[in-house]
Amino acid sequence: MPETGSGGSAPEWWRGAAIYEVYLRSFADGSGDGVGDLAGLRSRLGYLAELGVQALWVTPWFPSPMADAGYDVADYRDIDPVFGTLAEAEDLIAAAHRAGLRMIVDLVPNHCSVEHAWFRAALAAEPGSAVRELFWFRPGRGPSGEEPPNDWQSIFGGPAWTRTKSPDGTPGEWYLHLFAPEQPDFNWANPGVREEFESILRFWFDRGVDGVRIDSAAVLIKDGTLADAAGDPGSPYTDRDGIHDVYRGWRAVADSYPGGRALIGEIWLPDPERFSAYLRPDELHTAFNFPFLESAWDAGALRESIDATLDVHARVGAPATWVLCNHDVTRQVTRYGRADTSWSLGHRQHGAPTDLSLGTRRSRAAALLTMALPGGVYVYQGDELGLPNVEDIPDDRIQDPFWVRSGHTNRGRDGARVPLPWSADGPSAGFGPAGTTAEPWLPQPADWVRWNAAAQRVDPASMLSLYRGALACRAAEPALGDGPLRWLPAPEGVLAFARDGAPGVLCVLNLSDRPVPLPGHAGVLQVSDPLVGPGELAPDTAAWLRLP
Ligand code: NOJ
């Protein structure tokens, strides 16, 4: 395994790595059935190595009925046939390592699928049986149990409880699901669940994976009294104290393997103190930085978010991460092209007026900003192509459970999941292999080839060329990646900071509406768009300079 990651010795690669999120269903389709798979990913490892990232996070690849695009797992120790086989996954891990790429799998511990063997056994068993204790089964309220056991709501909409039926059709107990009804929640108070997940971790570490992204990491532990939430929706299950014990156990498993196996939490928590508790030295290594992703395109808001992030992480000695997008949110080219550039309105902004060329310009600058900040950085597939969110998917092609569960009011997250355009020709812009006719699982817009990777690869002004140049520079500059940041004085609406080192790097980002002179420097390393005038930075652009 080669040395990878900026600013850190190999076992601590996660402190400064650039990590690429592969949304497997939409990355590359090797089999020609319209769904991305392991063969497709394997065939594009060269592209990813050339892009200059150090690790891949691959979204769930386990057997699944795909009620939530694979986040409903039927078997944590195998691969869904639509993606390939376990042998292919093992080969892929080895091939990625040979290409200098670490591999991160996506583990879903809060819930499984209704097709998971434990849940099927629980459904078949009597109320009160041991196997039902692995989940949250409860009798309903009301004279004949026709009301859910409490008032908790599913994150996708509707009640968080579904009633079971006995084989003869009579209604039985209810079970808890914070997400879709096809995703029953595990009972993490049960030691059997804890043992099982530590064993699953070992299963994948034994196969050489370098890290685990932990889905919905802060909601595993429930208030065991199952009292009503009474207007405070997340409180009975979000960030309950017992969770830290779970992750201490996981950390001990990770630490028992050589080579630096990283635990990465998907933790959406507004309270910085509570967030940092997950990153104590005996818990998770890093977590996604969602407050930054939610921040508006505004100098004050970004600076505040950066300072808060660095402060929170410094308390526990953990590296920060920087994320602009993932498969759950609106692509940044679209978000930054709107009047409200924050993520405060989420999917409710669907269809709002969007200036894509402004959004693209800002996304280019944001890429340089995130890659210059201390810690690790994530690239979501398609960020590097500048893909916009697709917001005109026909109603009958929408797959996201949000759509149905919200009574067709929330179009959900499919707009960020449309299969990638790889080339200018071919039936699905190169997403499927030549000669196949299967339609991609989500429709690509008619002009999708406009963003194809092959054309961008040879265009020095493309988003792909910007990403490749910046990632290469980031990997080569010892001052970038993990390490300290020093703010520099800057005019109103401009952010400027130094990454000290020998040599050091200076990053400057102009969020004002007028060109600003570059600060004193000893050379230009990267620019998000051409400079104007004699060394002036245009609005909505960023530059990396050699620190004098
Ligand atoms: C977070 C994942 O990123 C999202 O796609 C999924 O729907 C939920 N967790 C539930 O697993």
Side-chain angles (χ1 to χ4, degrees):
M1 187 74 218
E3 282 279 317
T4 58
S6 312
S9 62
E12 299 213 319
W13 61 274
W14 41 272
R15 293 193 73 89
I19 300 177
Y20 187 94
E21 179 187 355
V22 175
Y23 190 73
L24 191 57
R25 298 180 64 76
S26 303
F27 185 69
D29 171 16
S31 69
D33 64 355
V35 181
D37 50 31
L38 298 185
L41 172 53
R42 175 123 189 214
S43 73
R44 301 287 180 186
L45 286 179
Y47 168 88
L48 295 165
E50 189 183 84
L51 178 61
V53 294
Q54 287 89 43
L56 308 180
W57 149 31
V58 183
T59 54
W61 54 16
F62 315 103
S64 165
M66 307 286 167
D68 183 21
Y71 284 93
D72 47 321
V73 178
D75 179 356
Y76 292 87
R77 295 184 181 81
D78 206 349
I79 301 293
D80 195 282
V82 82
F83 298 134
T85 63
L86 185 57
E88 269 183 283
E90 289 169 345
D91 286 350
L92 176 72
I93 295 166
H97 286 169
R98 283 195 299 276
L101 298 164
R102 294 183 189 260
M103 284 287 283
I104 298 165
V105 295
D106 199 333
L107 206 56
V108 189
N110 178 65
H111 45 268
C112 58
S113 157
V114 284
E115 294 298 324
H116 189 280
W118 284 11
F119 191 73
R120 289 165 63 113
L123 274 187
E126 293 297 316
S129 56
V131 68
R132 285 206 169 186
E133 285 304 309
L134 298 166
F135 299 91
W136 293 98
F137 280 88
R138 287 293 182 278
R141 295 196 286 200
S144 51
E146 71 282 10
E147 298 286 330
N150 66 25
D151 69 352
W152 298 5
Q153 294 296 298
S154 145
I155 291 160
F156 289 149
W161 296 89
T162 291
R163 196 166 192 186
T164 61
K165 270 201 187 98
S166 316
D168 67 0
T170 46
E173 288 190 315
W174 298 68
Y175 67 89
L176 176 71
H177 51 85
L178 290 185
F179 293 91
E182 296 87 351
Q183 294 168 294
D185 279 44
F186 284 113
N187 172 9
W188 275 87
N190 189 304
V193 173
R194 295 186 184 221
E195 278 164 29
E196 173 67 355
F197 272 90
E198 290 190 6
S199 152
I200 293 165
L201 275 180
R202 287 196 192 91
F203 180 89
W204 289 105
F205 286 150
D206 287 342
R207 274 157 188 78
V209 307
D210 305 280
V212 171
R213 179 259 187 192
I214 308 164
D215 186 71
S216 307
V219 300
L220 272 45
I221 306 287
K222 309 321 189 259
D223 171 2
T225 69
L226 297 181
D228 278 344
D232 192 2
S235 63
Y237 54 80
T238 304
D239 186 34
R240 301 194 62 92
D241 288 336
I243 193 122
H244 297 288
D245 208 38
V246 171
Y247 294 134
R248 285 194 193 103
W250 288 31
R251 180 63 176 252
V253 174
D255 285 350
S256 72
Y257 284 81
R261 314 294 170 110
L263 302 173
I264 303 160
E266 189 213 9
I267 301 174
W268 297 80
L269 280 183
D271 181 335
E273 196 77 47
R274 305 285 311 183
F275 176 88
S276 65
Y278 289 77
L279 302 179
R280 288 176 288 194
D282 59 347
E283 296 194 38
L284 308 184
H285 297 80
T286 64
F288 295 96
N289 180 0
F290 292 118
F292 179 79
L293 177 152
E294 290 170 337
S295 176
W297 188 249
D298 170 84
L302 285 170
R303 164 106 193 223
E304 209 176 290
S305 175
I306 293 165
D307 281 336
T309 299
L310 296 176
D311 175 53
V312 160
H313 288 80
R315 292 179 205 185
V316 283
T321 65
W322 307 96
V323 196
L324 292 171
C325 194
N326 65 36
H327 64 281
D328 291 330
V329 302
T330 303
R331 285 193 176 276
Q332 64 267 32
V333 160
T334 299
R335 176 163 64 89
Y336 286 147
R338 287 182 166 153
D340 183 344
T341 52
S342 75
W343 178 240
S344 58
L345 292 175
H347 304 285
R348 280 168 291 162
Q349 287 224 79
H350 242 113
T354 306
D355 178 342
L356 279 189
S357 85
L358 178 65
T360 301
R361 190 174 174 79
R362 290 174 170 173
S363 296
R364 295 174 65 93
L368 287 194
L369 169 67
T370 52
M371 289 185 213
L373 287 167
V377 66
Y378 283 83
V379 178
Y380 174 49
Q381 68 179 43
D383 284 358
E384 82 280 20
L385 302 178
L387 295 183
N389 222 50
V390 180
E391 304 200 331
D392 57 358
I393 298 175
D395 293 2
D396 63 350
R397 297 291 304 272
I398 297 180
Q399 309 272 334
D400 189 345
F402 259 118
W403 178 234
V404 170
R405 299 280 298 166
S406 69
H408 301 134
T409 55
N410 183 342
R411 303 182 76 80
R413 304 160 292 179
D414 289 349
R417 301 174 175 181
V418 173
L420 294 191
W422 288 99
S423 57
D425 37 42
S428 50
F431 171 65
T436 52
T437 50
E439 259 215 85
W441 71 284
L442 283 174
Q444 297 166 314
D447 63 348
W448 209 225
V449 293
R450 215 176 114 189
W451 288 276
N452 82 78
Q456 292 206 34
R457 191 167 176 271
V458 292
D459 172 5
S462 70
M463 186 72 93
L464 182 56
S465 296
L466 173 76
Y467 266 76
R468 285 177 53 184
L471 285 165
C473 182
R474 184 179 185 276
E477 288 291 329
L480 296 181
D482 193 26
L485 168 151
R486 181 167 56 88
W487 288 107
L488 300 171
E492 175 95 34
V494 177
L495 298 180
F497 58 86
R499 300 298 316 277
D500 290 311
V505 177
L506 191 165
C507 176
V508 53
L509 169 66
N510 182 6
L511 294 115
S512 79
D513 55 9
R514 62 202 187 283
V516 293
L518 290 177
H521 61 274
V524 176
L525 301 174
Q526 296 286 322
V527 286
S528 66
D529 271 299
L531 298 172
V532 288
E536 286 196 324
L537 197 59
D540 295 313
T541 64
W544 291 356
L545 308 170
R546 172 67 67 223
L547 204 56

